[in-house]
Amino acid sequence: MSPTIVAGGVAILLGLLGGLMTPIGPWYDNLRKPKLQPPNWLFGPAWTIILGLAAWSAVIAWHAAPDHAGRTSVIILFATNAVCHAAWSPLFFRLRRPDWALIEVVFLWASLVALVIGLWPISHQASLLILPYLVWVSFASWLNRQIVLLNAPFA
């Protein structure tokens, strides 16, 4: 199967899963949020762009990998990130545990740092395409922390 189809399919799957695991309703609406909280409508387009860039990065890295070991590294880096990405929304929204999501987002952030560092020797372009994702998750981590501080304890 084509790397482009696989990467695009994973990006779409992660986007759909994230959307399905992110019910915006009374519980979320009633949380106290920081002043820098973006409007709800911005998250969908932001994640669409970010996941699209990540898919593009994966395809570039796959083609730039010099051998089977390099392609295996690309798969491991992106698969680890996908698992970490998929875990955050259910913790925050479905289980209503922003405190647990704050712990999990450390792993998501670390998976992005690993991608940036791990892809750099394979393809500088692939590595750089992950930076918007890293910046967004850094900001989202701050938002998550602020929500925990403003609303704790959670049970």
Side-chain angles (χ1 to χ4, degrees):
M1 187 173 290
S2 157
T4 304
I5 291 171
V6 172
V10 170
I12 290 168
L13 181 65
L14 287 173
L16 288 172
L17 180 64
L20 291 171
M21 292 291 117
T22 308
I24 303 298
W27 174 81
Y28 179 75
D29 290 338
N30 289 325
L31 288 173
R32 290 186 302 272
K33 298 173 193 78
K35 290 181 181 168
L36 292 178
Q37 175 80 21
N40 291 341
W41 64 263
L42 181 63
F43 288 92
W47 280 116
T48 300
I49 292 166
I50 287 164
L51 292 173
L53 291 172
W56 185 16
S57 170
V59 172
I60 290 169
W62 177 267
H63 288 298
D67 53 22
H68 178 73
R71 287 188 294 280
T72 299
S73 294
V74 169
I75 291 170
I76 290 169
L77 287 166
F78 278 99
T80 301
N81 172 256
V83 169
C84 293
H85 180 97
W88 187 87
S89 288
L91 290 171
F92 190 102
F93 289 98
R94 292 290 175 171
L95 295 179
R96 298 180 177 180
R97 294 302 304 250
D99 50 346
W100 294 354
L102 184 59
I103 295 166
E104 193 284 332
V105 82
V106 173
F107 295 96
L108 174 56
W109 189 87
S111 77
L112 291 165
V113 171
L115 268 169
V116 170
I117 293 169
L119 294 177
W120 188 257
I122 296 169
S123 167
H124 295 357
Q125 183 183 16
S127 178
L128 293 172
L129 285 169
I130 298 300
L131 290 178
Y133 191 174
L134 178 60
V135 169
W136 184 255
V137 168
S138 298
F139 177 62
S141 300
W142 178 83
L143 289 173
N144 191 161
R145 181 176 184 275
Q146 294 307 113
I147 288 172
V148 168
L149 291 174
L150 291 168
N151 296 279
F154 299 94

